[in-house]
Amino acid sequence: MRAVLQRVHSASVTVDGAIVGEIGTGVLALVAATHTDTAAEAATMARKIAEIRLLADDSSIQDHVDDHDDGDGARPAVLVVSQFTLYGSTKKGRRPSWSEAAPGPVAAPLVDLVGAALRERGITVATGQFGAAMDVALVNDGPFTLVIDT
């Protein structure tokens, strides 16, 4: 699996004019699966998203669940959005190839597993809508962006 993580002050996903997922402070995780990915890769991706130290105070999302009393009860959250284009290849020609991206029936459950595994850790998770034309809005914090792979 592959993900682009962006530290955000806020992020949301809109489908057909309606907000389907939104968070305040936290991480926007654009997540993609390839053909050989399994539930084990989804669990690894969730662990990486939860534990990577990318917040402004050099902490992780998980640190805020485990260790911090944020006073007002607000903790960093994760917005998980499927994005098959992360496996697009531009090695040849001018048109990207999507052959490395897993098809929907493979990718959708894996992306869902990432969100579920984050929730099991006590992390607040919002999601996009798999396969929909989504408008993703965000206010970058930093900006701070990482690409991670399992």
Side-chain angles (χ1 to χ4, degrees):
M1 295 191 84
R2 180 172 293 156
V4 171
L5 306 182
Q6 295 182 294
R7 187 173 69 200
V8 298
H9 290 294
S10 63
S12 65
V13 177
T14 303
V15 175
D16 294 329
I19 294 175
V20 298
E22 68 181 325
I23 63 168
T25 300
V27 174
L28 169 61
L30 304 171
V31 180
T34 192
H35 303 278
T36 57
D37 287 334
T38 65
E41 278 84 17
T44 298
M45 181 58 73
R47 180 187 54 77
K48 286 185 169 198
I49 292 169
E51 295 178 2
I52 196 159
R53 301 175 70 78
L54 56 60
L55 298 179
D57 63 357
D58 195 35
S59 66
S60 69
I61 297 286
Q62 190 68 57
D63 289 340
H64 285 265
V65 171
D66 294 342
D67 300 331
H68 294 118
D69 175 9
D70 293 314
D72 62 1
R75 290 190 171 130
V78 179
L79 176 58
V80 176
V81 177
S82 63
Q83 188 164 353
F84 76 93
T85 61
L86 295 178
Y87 277 106
S89 174
T90 57
K91 290 181 181 178
K92 293 183 182 179
R94 297 180 301 152
R95 184 180 310 247
S97 167
W98 312 116
S99 63
E100 293 299 314
V106 173
L110 293 171
V111 173
D112 289 346
L113 281 172
V114 171
L118 289 166
R119 285 186 191 96
E120 287 175 10
R121 292 171 154 267
I123 296 168
T124 300
V125 177
T127 62
Q129 184 177 327
F130 193 92
M134 296 179 276
D135 294 329
V136 179
L138 67 140
V139 178
N140 269 128
D141 177 5
F144 191 103
T145 304
L146 293 174
V147 177
I148 60 174
D149 290 283
T150 57

